[in-house]
Amino acid sequence: KGSTDKAKSPYFFAFKWNKKPRQNYVFVFYVQKENSFWIIPTEYMAGKDGKEISDPDKNGYCSIDFSMPKHREMYKDFKDNWEILRQ
């Protein structure tokens, strides 16, 4: 999923996911504003607490906002980390 630098919220991503981790399945988010990728395995996302990831009332809809300090800290090891795809 990508976001252009002209987007209203270039760090915000909404997506649908059943919240069941799958081995070798990753989400790749691209933020054009800072020319960076976030490569996040589903196993990691499923293990994190956070309303946007764990709220069962959203019917599988999730969101992540890399402008939030909480999310930047939570996922900092995955920014531009292409080694994850080689594991």
Side-chain angles (χ1 to χ4, degrees), residues 52-68:
E52 54 286 317
I53 300 300
S54 62
D55 189 352
D57 297 330
K58 292 188 177 184
N59 296 320
Y61 289 97
C62 304
S63 64
I64 192 164
D65 187 345
F66 292 114
S67 69
M68 293 177 59

